[in-house]
Amino acid sequence: MFEFQNPATFMLFLLIPLLFLLRFLKIFKPLTFSAVLADWNGKAFSWDGRIRKIISVLARIIMFLGFVCAVAALADPVITRQEKVYTSLGSDIVFVVDTSPSMAARDMGTRDTGVTTRLESAKATIKQLALAHDGTRFGLVVLGSEASVYVPPTSDHTTFLKRIDEVNVGILGNGSAIGDGLSTAVCHLVSSGAQKRAIILLTDGENNAGQIHPETAAQLAASNGITVYVVGLGTKGTVPLEYIDPATGKEYAGYLDSNFNSAGLRRIASIGGGRYFEVTSLEEFIKIFESVAKAEDVVQNYTFRTVTQSFYKKILLWAIILFAAGWFIKRVLLREMMSFRYKKILFVRSAFLASSFIMLLLSYADIHWGTYLVPVQKSGAAVSLVYDISNSMLAKDCQGGLTRLRAAAEYSKQLLNRMNGVSASVVLAKGDGVAAIPLTDDYSMIDSLLNVMSPSLMTVPGSSIGKGILKAKETFSENYSSIGRIWVFTDGEETDNHLKQALSECIKSGISVTIIGFGNETESPVLAGDGTTTVMSALRSAKIQSTIEDAKKNLGFYKNQTDVLYMNYMEKGSAVKLLNQIKESGNQFVSYEAKPVPRFKLFLLLAVLFYSLSYLFTEFDFGRVKKASSLGFALCVCLVVCATLTGCSDSTGDVLKGSFAVAQKQYSKAVSFFNSAREKEKNNDIESPTMQYILYDLGTAYSLLGENEAAMEKYFEIVQTAPEGIRYGAYYNAGIIAHKNEDYEHAIEYFKKALEVDSTRIDAKINLELSIQSVEVNVRHSQSQATPSAEESSDNKDMEKAVFERIKENDQKQWKNSEVNQAQNLSDDY
C-alpha cells in the first residue's frame, strides 16, 4: 500500500499562495533590474522579449516543480506490505535429484522458454515451488553413481536456491544410485520435528549403482512416516542429448534412446505411500509440484511483519535535477548573471539557493546518526554453532589429551543430544567465515561434520572469530520468529580483531552471543598452517572478556536487551547454562533490534527553509514593517479567539503531561497524570469527548504498565457515543490484551467489534485472523500406524541402523573430500 508517512508536510504548499498574497499586499516586492546599453558594449542586438518571457515562465515552472518534489520527498513516501513470520513449523520436503547424463536430454520446456534439458526443467520448477511456499523447509539430495546431501531440510531458502544452481549433469558420476539417494534423504529427515515429511524423487532412469535397493529405501521411508513421491521425467523415444563432463571437461553430444522403467518407479512410490507421476513438459511439472505441495501442506501459526520500502530518494533526485535545470536557465540562458553588478541583493538570493541545493544533496546522501530500539516479538529458538578451525585449535591441552577442536566437537555433540530438535546451523570461522550447514533440525548432518572437523577444510590463513559471528547472524531466517543465539567455540586466538565489531552488531540486532573457551591459559606449542613452523598458543580468556566489556560499554543503551557472555567449557554447569538459554526461549519473548535514525528529513527541511529565506530576505519590504506587524498581530488575535471558542479545561495540562510521560515510557507517572485529569473532569458530563479521551489514555497507560485488568475496566467505561477513533482503539486494545492472555474467544469478539467501528483497519483484520487460527490450530496432526511384531520390528531396526550408518559414513566421506592440501606458505595461520 502506497502512503506518505508525514502527510502534514504538504501544508508547506501553503507557502506558495502566501508568497503571492504578500506580493499582492506589497509586503514582498519581486526583484527587478534594468538592462542598460552598456551591458552590450555598444554591439547591435535585437530584443526577443517574447521568447525570453516564455523561457522565464518555464524556469519558474521548473523551480516550482522542484519545490513540489522536495516537499513530497519530505512527506516520506513509502510502500508498506505485510510479510508472514511463522511461529510454528510447516512441512519438510527433500528433493532427490538424478544428475546422470540422461538428465541432459533436451525434451522439456514450454512455449515461452523453448526446449530445455530435463535437469534444468527440474531445477526451475523446484525453485518456483520454494519461492511460493516460504513456510515449508526444503532439502536437497543429489544422486549419480553415489548420493550426497547438498542441503539438509532448512528454512534458509537463500542457501537452498543457491545450491540448486550448483547442480549440474554428471557431478556425481554416470550412474543412478536411486536407492542410495532415497536412503540419504530418509536419514536426514528422521530427526525432523515437522508435522509432515516428504521426499520427491526426480529421475528418468533405473537404479544401476549404489548398494541400497530403491524398494528397501522406500520401505525405510514408510516405516518412519515419510511419504515418497516419484516423478519420471522426459518423453520416451529418441531425444537429443548434449552435456559437458565436469570431471574431464569433455563435451558429449548425440541421441538418447529414452525408455525408463515406469513400473519400477511406480512401485517405489506405492511402497513409500505416495504417488507416481510422468512429466513430459514444464507445464505438467509445475501442476504436479503444486498438487504435491498442497497434499503435504499443514496449517501453521504465523504473525505479520510490516515491511516498508521508502521512495523519497527517487522523488528527491527529480527535485535536484529540476532545481539545477531551473538555475541553469535563469542564470545562463537568460544571462541573469550580468545583473549582479546592479543588484547586489542577488548575491544573497544565490547564497540561500546554493545552501538549499547543498541541503538537497546532503539529504540524498542518506546520512544517518543515532539509533533507536524496535521491539520484535519472538518465540522458539535457533542456534548457530560457530567453530574456530584455525591451527591453534589443534593444541593438545584439553582434558583427556584432546585437541581444542576435538574437545569442542565432543562438547557440541553432548549439547546436540539435549537440544530437543532446536534448529541449528554451523559456521566455520576462518577467513570471511563459511556457513557450512544452514539452519536445520538435521543433527546427523552436523554430527558428520563434527567427526571430521579440521583446519584443512579451509586454506584461508588466520582466524576471524568476528567474521564467523557475522556470518552466523546471516543464517537466521527472517521468515521465522525464532530467537537467534550464537555459540562460539574458540580459544580466542584472533588475527584480525573483528570480534568487538561483530559483538556490537549482534547486540544491536538483539542476538545473544556466548563464547565458549577451549584450551589452557598456559602457552602450548602448536604447528602453524605450513606444517613446519612452531608457535606458542593459549586460551585468551582475558582478551575475550575485555573485548566483550568494550562492546557492551560502547552500547550501554542496548546491553540490557541481549546477553553477550563468556564461559570456559570446563566451568561447572557451562552446558546447562547454554541449554537453559534455549529453554528460556520456548515462550514468547520480546527482543529488540537497533535501527539507524535517518536524517534526510532534517536536511530536506533545511533545504525548504533556505529556499523560503531566499525570498524573505530579498523581497521583504522593510518600509512596510508596520503593516506586516499589524498582520501578525491580527493572526495572534485570531488564534486567541479560536482557543477561547474551543475552550481548554483545567484537565488539558494533565493530559498533555500524561502523554509526554507515555512517550518517555514513564507509565506510572502517566497513570498519575491521567487520574488527576479524570478527577478534574468528574463534575462534567461523563459522556463528554474529553472524558472519553482521558479514559482511553488511562486504559492505554495501565496496559503499558502491565495492569491488564485495570486497563480493561477503563476501556469498558467508554460509551458508544464516544468518537469513532476512541471506540475502535478501546476494542482493538482489549482484543490485544485478551490474545496475550490466550483468551482467544474474547479476542475474536473484541476484534470483530473494532472492525464494526472501522472496517478498513488492516491491523484488526490481521489479529482477528491470528486469533481464529489460535482457536482452530492447537493439536498437531498425528498418524496412527499398525504396531509390527517384536521380531519384525527388531529386523527393521537392524536394517535401518545399518543403512543409516552407511549414509553417515558417506556424509563424512563427502566432508573429507572437501579437504584440500595446505602445502602453501601458511606460517601465519595459527
Side-chain angles (χ1 to χ4, degrees), residues 448-554:
S448 299
L449 175 57
L450 292 177
N451 286 334
V452 297
M453 193 82 78
S454 165
S456 58
L457 289 173
M458 297 176 67
T459 58
V460 182
S463 169
S464 181
I465 305 170
K467 290 181 180 177
I469 290 174
L470 292 177
K471 181 62 68 174
K473 179 173 171 284
E474 296 175 6
T475 64
F476 298 119
S477 174
E478 293 185 353
N479 283 14
Y480 284 83
S481 63
S482 302
I483 303 166
R485 298 188 180 277
I486 298 175
W487 296 346
V488 186
F489 305 89
T490 182
D491 57 9
E493 291 277 21
E494 191 180 30
T495 56
D496 61 359
N497 297 317
H498 276 81
L499 180 57
K500 178 181 174 182
Q501 176 191 349
L503 294 177
S504 299
E505 291 298 319
C506 289
I507 291 173
K508 291 178 181 178
S509 299
I511 296 175
S512 169
V513 181
T514 303
I515 301 176
I516 305 99
F518 287 83
N520 199 298
E521 302 283 353
T522 306
E523 299 275 357
S524 302
V526 66
L527 287 178
D530 59 0
T532 57
T533 305
T534 301
V535 295
M536 302 303 291
S537 172
L539 172 59
R540 310 297 182 187
S541 298
K543 180 181 177 182
I544 296 173
Q545 290 175 323
S546 175
T547 304
I548 290 174
E549 290 303 316
D550 286 344
K552 287 184 175 182
K553 189 185 305 180
N554 293 339

Side-chain angles (χ1 to χ4, degrees), residues 161-340:
L161 295 173
K162 181 180 178 182
R163 297 305 301 273
I164 280 284
D165 289 331
E166 297 173 4
V167 175
N168 292 303
V169 170
I171 55 175
L172 290 181
N174 297 330
S176 293
I178 294 176
D180 284 14
L182 288 174
S183 301
T184 300
V186 173
C187 180
H188 291 283
L189 271 174
V190 289
S191 61
S192 167
Q195 300 178 46
K196 285 189 178 182
R197 298 168 294 171
I199 296 171
I200 302 179
L201 170 64
L202 306 167
T203 183
D204 66 350
E206 299 181 6
N207 186 69
N208 56 21
Q211 299 183 13
I212 302 173
H213 196 279
E215 293 183 15
T216 301
Q219 181 60 52
L220 194 62
S223 63
N224 283 281
I226 300 171
T227 308
V228 179
Y229 298 91
V230 182
V231 180
L233 296 176
T235 57
K236 294 184 179 180
T238 303
V239 292
L241 177 146
E242 184 178 345
Y243 78 100
I244 298 176
D245 190 328
T248 63
K250 185 176 179 181
E251 184 175 348
Y252 293 89
Y255 289 87
L256 170 71
D257 185 13
S258 176
N259 189 23
F260 52 85
N261 183 3
S262 301
L265 297 178
R266 194 182 302 275
R267 193 158 50 250
I268 294 171
S270 177
I271 295 172
R275 294 177 59 191
Y276 170 70
F277 306 92
E278 281 193 12
V279 174
T280 58
S281 69
L282 194 55
E283 290 96 336
E284 291 179 11
F285 216 152
I286 294 170
K287 290 179 181 178
I288 287 169
F289 266 28
E290 283 298 331
S291 67
V292 170
K294 187 175 182 180
E296 294 300 314
D297 194 21
V298 297
V299 179
Q300 289 179 259
N301 290 331
Y302 57 84
T303 182
F304 285 91
R305 174 182 61 205
T306 301
V307 179
T308 59
Q309 182 180 1
S310 180
F311 283 90
Y312 86 91
K313 268 196 168 185
K314 294 181 179 179
I315 299 177
L316 183 56
L317 180 60
W318 277 106
I320 293 172
I321 293 172
L322 289 168
F323 273 120
W327 183 91
F328 179 80
I329 292 173
K330 291 176 71 68
R331 296 292 185 262
V332 178
L333 295 184
L334 295 178
R335 298 170 64 185
E336 287 187 0
M337 296 296 293
M338 64 181 181
S339 62
F340 277 60

Side-chain angles (χ1 to χ4, degrees), residues 672-723:
S672 176
F673 283 127
F674 289 137
N675 273 321
S676 175
R678 188 186 182 193
E679 284 297 316
K680 293 176 180 177
E681 286 287 329
K682 66 180 181 180
N683 294 327
N684 295 331
D685 184 6
I686 188 66
E687 296 186 3
S688 67
T690 303
M691 179 60 84
Q692 299 304 303
Y693 277 108
I694 293 173
L695 288 173
Y696 176 76
D697 289 339
L698 187 56
T700 302
Y702 273 128
S703 67
L704 292 172
L705 198 58
E707 298 182 14
N708 292 333
E709 290 185 8
M712 295 292 275
E713 287 180 8
K714 302 310 168 195
Y715 291 145
F716 291 152
E717 289 183 32
I718 293 174
V719 297
Q720 292 300 312
T721 57

Side-chain angles (χ1 to χ4, degrees), residues 300-458:
Q300 289 179 259
N301 290 331
Y302 57 84
T303 182
F304 285 91
R305 174 182 61 205
T306 301
V307 179
T308 59
Q309 182 180 1
S310 180
F311 283 90
Y312 86 91
K313 268 196 168 185
K314 294 181 179 179
I315 299 177
L316 183 56
L317 180 60
W318 277 106
I320 293 172
I321 293 172
L322 289 168
F323 273 120
W327 183 91
F328 179 80
I329 292 173
K330 291 176 71 68
R331 296 292 185 262
V332 178
L333 295 184
L334 295 178
R335 298 170 64 185
E336 287 187 0
M337 296 296 293
M338 64 181 181
S339 62
F340 277 60
R341 291 176 295 183
Y342 307 106
K343 289 284 185 180
K344 305 299 183 184
I345 196 67
L346 283 178
F347 283 104
V348 176
R349 172 166 288 186
S350 295
F352 277 115
L353 290 177
S355 300
S356 178
F357 190 75
I358 291 171
M359 292 300 109
L360 287 177
L361 295 177
L362 289 175
S363 179
Y364 189 78
D366 197 16
I367 298 173
H368 293 74
W369 69 77
T371 51
Y372 66 99
L373 291 181
V374 177
V376 181
Q377 190 162 328
K378 298 283 188 177
S379 63
V383 178
S384 184
L385 309 174
V386 180
Y387 295 93
D388 178 359
I389 62 169
S390 61
N391 277 68
S392 66
M393 292 291 286
L394 296 181
K396 295 182 178 181
D397 58 357
C398 288
Q399 190 177 32
L402 296 177
T403 65
R404 299 169 186 172
L405 192 55
R406 180 46 40 199
E410 295 301 324
Y411 185 88
S412 301
K413 287 183 180 181
Q414 297 301 317
L415 289 172
L416 290 170
N417 289 336
R418 294 167 174 80
M419 283 171 57
N420 299 325
V422 172
S423 296
S425 63
V426 175
V427 172
L428 303 181
K430 205 176 183 191
D432 290 335
V434 172
I437 300 176
L439 210 61
T440 183
D441 293 352
D442 182 11
Y443 291 170
S444 63
M445 183 74 170
I446 299 175
D447 189 71
S448 299
L449 175 57
L450 292 177
N451 286 334
V452 297
M453 193 82 78
S454 165
S456 58
L457 289 173
M458 297 176 67

Side-chain angles (χ1 to χ4, degrees), residues 3-9 12 70-78 310-313 316 359-360 362-369 372 597-609:
E3 61 181 350
F4 291 94
Q5 300 219 80
N6 299 305
T9 304
L12 289 173
V71 172
L74 183 57
D76 197 5
V78 296
S310 180
F311 283 90
Y312 86 91
K313 268 196 168 185
L316 183 56
M359 292 300 109
L360 287 177
L362 289 175
S363 179
Y364 189 78
D366 197 16
I367 298 173
H368 293 74
W369 69 77
Y372 66 99
V597 180
R599 303 295 179 175
F600 75 92
K601 294 178 185 178
L602 171 63
F603 293 111
L604 263 176
L605 197 58
L606 289 174
V608 173
L609 176 63

